[in-house]
Amino acid sequence: MDTDSTPIRRYPVKVDDDAVSSVLNRLRRAQGQLAGVIAMIEAGRDCKDVVTQLAAVSKALDRAGFKIVASGMRQCMNNADESQAPMTEEELEKLFLTLA
């Protein structure tokens, strides 16, 4: 449980235009792989095969998530909106660690 009561500031973040295609491809790949895992389980496939395929799903989701977080972190660091203070290193760390 997180005992830090410091409120987290919210920032509107958009995935970089050049990252959107990559993120969507990774999410679609994960979606297809997950459908494969479900079919394997329903067909009674070997546990090792199912776990191997599930690991591929996890990797695709992780890569998409890291791309999204990296895009958001870059925007937060560059913060074009001068009305808000840039994110602190602690806030950036918390954002990054949400994937852990």
Side-chain angles (χ1 to χ4, degrees):
M1 186 171 118
D2 188 6
T3 58
D4 184 7
S5 61
T6 306
I8 296 176
R9 293 179 283 169
R10 303 289 180 199
Y11 297 88
V13 174
K14 179 182 177 295
V15 176
D16 292 343
D17 290 338
D18 53 335
V20 169
S21 175
S22 175
V23 167
L24 289 176
N25 284 340
R26 289 172 180 171
L27 291 174
R28 287 185 183 111
R29 181 178 303 131
Q31 182 180 30
Q33 291 168 329
L34 186 56
V37 169
I38 292 168
M40 291 170 75
I41 292 171
E42 290 174 343
R45 294 277 302 269
D46 181 67
C47 180
K48 184 178 177 182
D49 294 338
V50 172
V51 170
T52 300
Q53 185 67 16
L54 191 56
V57 173
S58 179
K59 184 176 180 179
L61 289 173
D62 286 348
R63 292 187 67 174
F66 279 112
K67 188 83 167 179
I68 291 168
V69 169
S71 177
M73 290 176 77
R74 189 171 29 259
Q75 287 180 40
C76 292
M77 289 171 56
N78 295 334
N79 198 6
D81 183 359
E82 297 298 326
S83 68
Q84 294 179 336
M87 289 185 84
T88 65
E89 186 175 321
E90 182 180 315
E91 289 172 319
L92 290 170
E93 180 183 3
K94 284 182 181 180
L95 177 63
F96 184 75
L97 291 174
T98 59
L99 293 176

